[in-house]
Amino acid sequence: MPFEAIASAFLAAAPSLTFRRSVAGLPLPSQPPSSFLPRHLPVRALMKRNPKRLKYSAPRFFKKSEAMVYVEMDPLGSETWRLEPVIELIKEGAVGVIPTDTVYAIVCDLRSYSSIERLRRIKDIENKKPLSILCHSFQDIDKYTVGFPRGDGRGQTNIFRTVKHCLPGPYTFILPATKELPKQCIKSGRTARYESRKHVGVRMPNDSICQAILQNLDEPLVSTSVKWPSEDQWMLDPVIIADTYEPEGLDFVVDGGVRVADPSTVVDMTGKYPTIIRQGKGPKLEWMIVEGEDYGGGPSELPFPQVA
């Protein structure tokens, strides 16, 4: 039975549901049929739309007649074939929401400058606020940042060997950026071309859905966490995220279940010591210090493995 016929029949039976929630759980034509068990009832975002935000909403990737793509996934990441349309959309320049091992993130292709600008407009991010990148491997990190020091054989600390034990994981490491990193990740607008590349936050999430997407892309994803437009609080329910941000120009949402408000731990690697500037889900490790702590020891006194 054609997919359009299935969708039409279901919509006729349940007119109160939006299109994306009506078809999110339906099998694709190439897969064996399965029963439709909707996880979510219709939910409306309990907030007023700001007329200014409506006026400056980012243009949709799709035509007005097309619905936003909403893919419902098992939180464990099974049935990764459902992600294929999302992966293709990202390659074509779409901006959407995916789960990580902490909270949901708005993402786009790192090499699509127009998509990065759209991401900033959708999230209403300040022009000078830098964005983070989601990486699949240490090779990605080494390409867009100076990476983690590996030691020089003369007693220099081998931080890379230590970091390998906590990545993938719920950490954001701030590292000096290389020339490969698009300047739009640092600053928005025409002045971005004159902005020097300084530092960027890198993540390697320990989430099966996120990793399934990243491993099928040629580049990392530019990302920023999903928060309420008018409040500094994380949005954790993908259905509410879709209802809130679809009018702002969001192209897709990958539903990996409701998350917990537990963001990543941010560690600044650009100073003398690895310094935690935001404590989150990732625990403080013995080789990290907390911002504001008075640490009087030398680098050799931190419990890093030393290169012989």
Side-chain angles (χ1 to χ4, degrees), residues 70-199:
Y70 190 96
V71 179
E72 190 170 0
M73 293 289 296
D74 180 341
L76 298 179
S78 60
E79 298 183 327
T80 55
W81 55 268
R82 289 180 177 270
L83 296 172
E84 293 177 3
V86 170
I87 293 169
E88 291 305 314
L89 287 174
I90 292 173
K91 292 178 179 179
E92 294 172 5
V95 178
V97 169
I98 66 173
T100 70
D101 54 352
T102 53
V103 295
Y104 278 91
I106 302 180
V107 301
C108 70
D109 184 2
L110 181 142
R111 284 300 178 186
S112 176
Y113 302 157
S114 61
S115 297
I116 297 175
E117 294 296 331
R118 286 188 57 232
L119 183 151
R120 285 185 177 275
R121 292 198 299 271
I122 290 172
K123 181 72 180 295
D124 200 18
I125 299 176
E126 295 179 5
N127 289 346
K128 293 184 179 181
K129 185 175 181 180
L131 301 169
S132 300
I133 58 175
L134 302 180
C135 300
H136 174 61
S137 65
F138 282 99
Q139 184 177 359
D140 290 336
I141 295 176
D142 290 340
K143 180 178 180 180
Y144 294 101
T145 74
V146 299
F148 300 99
R150 288 165 167 78
D152 58 3
R154 297 189 296 272
Q156 184 189 45
T157 302
N158 189 336
I159 299 177
F160 174 73
R161 184 183 300 176
T162 305
V163 171
K164 283 199 303 182
H165 294 291
C166 57
L167 289 181
Y171 292 92
T172 298
F173 288 102
I174 299 177
L175 293 166
T178 65
K179 292 182 179 180
E180 294 291 332
L181 184 74
K183 290 184 177 182
Q184 282 77 6
C185 293
I186 307 299
K187 189 175 181 181
S188 174
R190 295 181 179 180
T191 58
R193 69 178 66 180
Y194 306 111
E195 186 75 7
S196 61
R197 296 174 180 85
K198 298 177 182 178
H199 308 137

Side-chain angles (χ1 to χ4, degrees), residues 47-81:
M47 57 175 291
K48 289 185 177 180
R49 302 296 311 289
N50 187 325
K52 182 178 179 181
R53 288 181 59 80
L54 284 172
K55 180 179 179 181
Y56 294 102
S57 293
R60 288 292 306 275
F61 178 78
F62 298 104
K63 297 178 182 179
K64 292 182 179 180
S65 60
E66 296 177 328
M68 184 189 74
V69 174
Y70 190 96
V71 179
E72 190 170 0
M73 293 289 296
D74 180 341
L76 298 179
S78 60
E79 298 183 327
T80 55
W81 55 268

